[in-house]
Amino acid sequence: MGVALEFVETLLGALIIALFLRQFVVQSSMVFSGSMKPTLVSKSKFDSDRLFVNKLVYHFNSPSRGDVILFDSPHGDGKQYVKRLIGLPGETVEIRRGLVYVNDQLLVFPGVTIRRDYSNHSKLTVPEGHFFVLGDNRDSSADSRAWGFVRNDQLIGQAMFIYWPFNRIRWIK
């Protein structure tokens, strides 16, 4: 009886720790669309990138331009999206022929492949407490160009690491 009770206690303790970690520290997320190609890939249910998302990072640091973030849908439909953070509060963002300008400076992320489109988006100022986000596959991405800004309270965390499929395991740039 003592061994069974000890096993149940250990199992219950592990469950509580796992639930705590899932709620406050780290979350797993699967990529469902092609809006972040080639950074993140969605091929099929079994061959899509799965990510570890750091949920603590923005409690200690402010989000930075270029972060790949997970956030709650601005539509309030319970979905979660992964996009690249482009514009911070108080900055201006403009898109000319598919090139992004932040505060009138061309935005380039060295080492990151962006599939650009040739769209235009007039200059706008990111309000306090909000962010402007874009997918890396600009031609196939619904993002801040379509539905506006992401509120700070919608941020879940920073996508840090691809852990599945095995041939794509790596840190996210």
Side-chain angles (χ1 to χ4, degrees):
M1 182 72 170
V3 172
L5 184 59
E6 188 175 318
F7 176 75
V8 169
E9 287 175 346
T10 301
L11 192 59
L12 186 60
L15 179 64
I16 290 170
I17 290 169
L19 290 173
F20 175 81
L21 290 174
R22 165 73 167 81
Q23 183 66 33
F24 299 107
V25 179
V26 70
Q27 174 178 325
S28 175
S29 183
M30 187 165 92
V31 177
F32 289 103
S33 77
S35 70
M36 285 296 291
K37 282 183 182 177
T39 306
L40 304 174
V41 177
S42 174
K43 294 180 182 175
S44 69
K45 184 176 182 178
F46 301 104
D47 202 22
S48 293
D49 287 349
R50 287 176 175 79
L51 319 170
F52 280 129
V53 176
N54 181 340
K55 295 173 83 170
L56 277 180
V57 68
Y58 296 136
H59 292 283
F60 301 103
N61 300 302
S62 297
S64 298
R65 182 182 350 283
D67 288 355
V68 176
I69 60 171
L70 180 71
F71 57 95
D72 289 321
S73 167
H75 308 298
D77 55 13
K79 294 181 182 177
Q80 295 176 343
Y81 294 110
V82 177
K83 305 286 182 197
R84 189 171 300 278
L85 197 150
I86 302 297
L88 300 169
E91 295 182 330
T92 61
V93 178
E94 181 180 14
I95 302 173
R96 292 183 238 143
R97 294 188 31 135
L99 297 174
V100 178
Y101 294 83
V102 176
N103 296 330
D104 297 318
Q105 298 292 315
L106 178 63
L107 181 62
V108 177
F109 295 114
V112 176
T113 302
I114 302 292
R115 292 186 176 171
R116 88 178 236 223
D117 62 359
Y118 292 90
S119 66
N120 294 297
H121 197 282
S122 58
K123 187 184 286 188
L124 48 86
T125 301
V126 181
E128 287 302 315
H130 292 77
F131 303 98
F132 188 89
V133 299
L134 294 172
D136 285 355
N137 186 5
R138 304 280 161 77
D139 197 38
S140 298
S141 179
D143 46 39
S144 286
R145 297 172 296 177
W147 33 254
F149 304 104
V150 174
R151 292 188 325 266
N152 188 48
D153 65 351
Q154 292 171 314
L155 288 183
I156 296 169
Q158 183 180 7
M160 304 290 288
F161 188 77
I162 298 171
Y163 70 88
W164 180 264
F166 288 130
N167 65 334
R168 288 193 39 85
I169 290 176
R170 63 182 173 78
W171 293 100
I172 298 172
K173 290 196 244 178

